[in-house]
Structures are given as C-alpha cells and as structure tokens.
Amino acid sequence: WDDDWDDSSTVADEPGALGSSYPDYEAASGGASSRYRMSTRSEVFLGSRGGGHPASHPHPPGGSGAKSSATVSRNLNRFSTFVKSGGEAFVLGEASGFVKDGDKLCVVLGPRGPEWQENPYPFQCSIEDPTKQTKFKGMKSYIAYKLVPSHTGQQVHRRYKHFDWLYGRLAEKFPVISVPHLPEKQATGRFEEDFISKRRKGLAWWMDHMCSHPVLAQCDAFQHFLTCPSTDEKAWKQGKRKAEKDEMVGANFFLTISVPTGTGASLDLQEVESQVDGFKAFTKKMDESALQLNHTANEFARKQVTGFKKEYQKVGHSFKCLSQAFELDQQAFSAGLNQAIAFTAEAYDAIGDLFADQPRQDLDPVMDLLALYQGHLANFPDIIHVQKGALTKVKESKRHVEEGKMELQKAEGIQERCNIISFATLAEINHFHKIRVRDFKSQMQHFLQQQILFFQKVTQKLEEALHKYDSV
C-alpha cells in the first residue's frame, strides 16, 4: 500500500518537501533553520495570478503609488525562518487564498491569556505490537507498529517512514506550532529488540503530544494517518497527495488563524515582546538543564548497570568466600552461621542485579521525556524568530507613518497581521507550559514511585538475610 514511494526514498527526496526531518540549530547558520526548505507557497500561489501584486496593493513599486507601496523593507536574509515560513509575506499583506471553514484555527482568551481553542472531541492513540514484516517475497524487511485511535477503535499499521512523512508535512504547514520531533533514525541495529522497544516508547510520547495538541490533533493529514485503512492503497495515496498539495501553508497558513476581537482583545506590543523574551530565556535555561539532567541520568544509569552491580557482587563474592572458609569447620553448631553468611552473599549478588535492572524502570523513562522536550525546545527559536520578525515590521511601519512615508491604514494592516502571529505564538507558548507541567508531574511521580519500590526490594533482601542469623 506504500509502493508509490520507494523504501530508499525519504520525504526529503520529494520535490517541494523538507530538506530534513531533524533541523540543525548551529550558530554558524545564523539562526536560520533547515526546517523550512521550501519557497513560501504564497509567492508561487500569487505568481500564478498575475505578477504577484495582490488586489489590496494596486500600485507596483515606484511611480505614482510610491507613498503606499514603497513601504516596509524586506529582510535582506531571504533564508531566514521569518521569510521562509511565509511570515514576512503575510505581515506585508501578500498572502491571499480562500479559507474553508474546516481550515480555520481559533485562538481564544483563556485564564492564562491566548490559548488554542480546545479540541471538542479529544482522543488518544496507543502504539503497540511492533512486528517485523516483509515485502518483495522476503527481500525487504521492516517494522510495523499497530496504532489504535480511541475515537475510531479501528487499528491501522504504520511504518517509521510514514511517521517521518507526516512529520515533514506538519513541520512545513505549521510555522508557529511546535511539532514534536520523532525518535532519531538509525541505520544499523534496526531490528534489535532493545532498539524497537525504545523507539516504540519514543513514538508513544510523540503520539501523546500530537493527540494533546488542539490544532495538530485535528489536522487532516494527521487524521488521514490515523484512520486510513492499511490495506486501502488507493485511499492512502489520495490522502497523501491531498496533504502534499495543501495550499494553506507558508504565508497562507496565517490566513487560517482566527483571533479574538472586540474590547479587551487587543494585544499590547510591549507586553507581547516582554512575554516572548521571558519565554526565550526560559527555553534557553530549560534546554541547558535538560541537557545536564540527561547527561547525569545517563551517567548514573551506566554506573548502576556496570559499576554498582559489579561492586555489590564483589561484596557478595567476598561473603561467599568467608562462608566457604567456615565450612571447613565440620562442627554442627557452626553450620547455621555458614548458611546465613552464604545467604547474605546471595542477597548482595541479587541486589547487584536489581541495580543493573533499575534504570529501565525509572531513569530511562525520564530520559525519553527529556529527548521529546529537547525536540520541542529546538523548535522554539524558529517560532520566536517569526514573531520577532513580525514585531520588527510593525515598529518600522510606525516609524514610516511618523515620517509621512506610509499611510496610517496600511500600518494598521501590518499591526493587525502581526497581532495574529502574536496571538498564535502566545497560544503555543501557553500550550507548551500546560503539557510540560502535566508531563513532568506524571514522570517525576513515576520516577519516585519506582525508586521507592527499588529500595523496598533492597531492604527486603537485607531483612531476609538478617533473619537467617536468628537461628544461629
């Protein structure tokens, strides 16, 4: 059902798609991410409708219309996220497209400020039973995951490359929404049990964040991915092509956002800037601390699996040697002591095994969560860059009005469109904080519960050994 794209191909090979599912955030790139490789769809869209001059701007640059069209300057860096996401084209009023009711995304004012309108039909989706399957008469092997969405109850099977395709579509479509990153690709060891188990857990976290997001959960491409029967090749191809031909991407995406209107619904630019700057500082600090915690947890897990196990079993071995020495004394009254010391040796050996197994129960789930959030944190520099770019255009337009270079109406249009980007950005920031509190509360509770169980098991082993001496 997926032979329309070869196994060796990735989303990146398809024309007009993303260059990479995993963006690089190197300082050398000047902060420009590789996440949006595509030219803004609005430029292509407008270009096919007569020269790219929208109806709202009848005068071409220069000439008699100089006052109204020689306006806010364009960014010199045409590779910046603000430009490539379509944010610049939208703010400058160059996006035009018909928005269907089903495409509208609503931002509402909640107790914490702007929020995405809740999904009226929330659902979850489990990812279970990864199984190895083959095609081309056994020449090609792959792992398929069983997905069971709660709102349909119908199971479908998807491969990693289907997740990868979906991620590419969504990352292109939603420039101010943090699409969670997928677990990383791996060239070797793809069929090893540990790797498959780890990837399934990573995909489960990914799926949870997708279903929890009011916008992503209702997106057509995501719903197609969840509900299209695995055996219906024709329906899959139709949905796939529809998603790839979606015109509401780039600058046109921002047309789909509906924001609060009326008294009390306007945003104060300085306040927005302050909130975004505060969030930028927060993400930087969270990223540093998540990296540190991940390193510490990884190091601690490694010590438990190797060092702690070895040290406890070394103690156990020493006790065993002592009991063997005592056994050379054949007198009856010392037999109980010999057996008790031998049991103590076994207890320490077992405690060593408990230490080696424990990271799977408590530290690994924490590191899985950190990996997911590091992906989110890597997305936000681009999201913030789009919002900052829009604010810059507003400041520039206000200056032009004061200097008499721009009509007030045009400047107000720029501010209105910047408000839409600001509302969406603040809604996304609020959603991030909401799920962050939910996830870290749940994960820290799980971690501490598992730690308590672990030390109870250790205590139980030691108490059993202690009681062996009662009858000596």
Side-chain angles (χ1 to χ4, degrees), residues 27-73:
S29 66
S33 161
S34 60
R35 179 170 165 187
Y36 306 104
R37 289 286 172 86
M38 189 174 166
S39 63
T40 62
R41 187 69 71 94
S42 63
E43 289 166 15
V44 181
F45 188 55
L46 292 164
S48 63
R49 284 160 171 72
H53 299 297
S56 58
H57 303 280
H59 302 293
S64 60
K67 184 177 178 182
S68 62
S69 60
T71 56
V72 177
S73 62

Side-chain angles (χ1 to χ4, degrees), residues 107-109 112-116 176 266-269 271-277 279 380 383-384 387 418-433:
V107 177
V108 297
L109 282 174
R112 294 180 295 273
E115 296 178 353
W116 295 112
V176 288
S266 59
L267 293 173
D268 180 83
L269 284 183
E271 196 178 316
V272 171
E273 197 166 14
S274 171
Q275 282 181 291
V276 172
D277 284 342
F279 182 70
F380 277 107
I383 293 170
I384 290 169
Q387 201 275 334
C418 172
N419 265 356
I420 289 173
I421 292 178
S422 296
F423 265 114
T425 306
L426 293 176
E428 188 60 19
I429 288 171
N430 265 330
H431 177 74
F432 175 80
H433 283 313

Side-chain angles (χ1 to χ4, degrees), residues 333 335-341 343-344 462-472:
F333 70 86
L337 177 66
N338 301 346
Q339 288 166 4
I341 294 175
F343 189 87
T344 306
L462 295 173
E463 283 176 345
E464 284 172 5
L466 176 62
H467 291 316
K468 292 290 177 182
Y469 293 88
D470 292 345
S471 58
V472 174

Side-chain angles (χ1 to χ4, degrees), residues 229-245:
S230 312
T231 51
D232 194 339
E233 185 183 343
K234 187 178 178 183
W236 172 260
K237 287 181 181 178
Q238 283 175 344
K240 181 173 175 289
R241 290 195 184 107
K242 182 186 173 188
E244 287 162 1
K245 289 177 180 175

Side-chain angles (χ1 to χ4, degrees), residues 174-229:
F174 298 114
V176 288
I177 289 175
S178 178
V179 181
H181 289 205
L182 289 166
E184 290 185 6
K185 295 180 181 180
Q186 185 164 310
T188 56
R190 289 181 301 137
F191 302 119
E192 290 174 9
E193 196 173 324
D194 280 352
F195 172 73
I196 293 168
S197 172
K198 187 172 175 61
R199 174 174 274 184
R200 190 200 65 79
K201 288 173 187 170
L203 290 174
W205 268 118
W206 181 88
M207 183 60 76
D208 176 71
H209 273 221
M210 290 293 297
C211 296
S212 300
H213 198 288
V215 175
L216 296 177
Q218 299 180 81
C219 170
D220 287 348
F222 183 50
Q223 285 297 324
H224 173 66
F225 172 83
L226 291 179
T227 59
C228 182

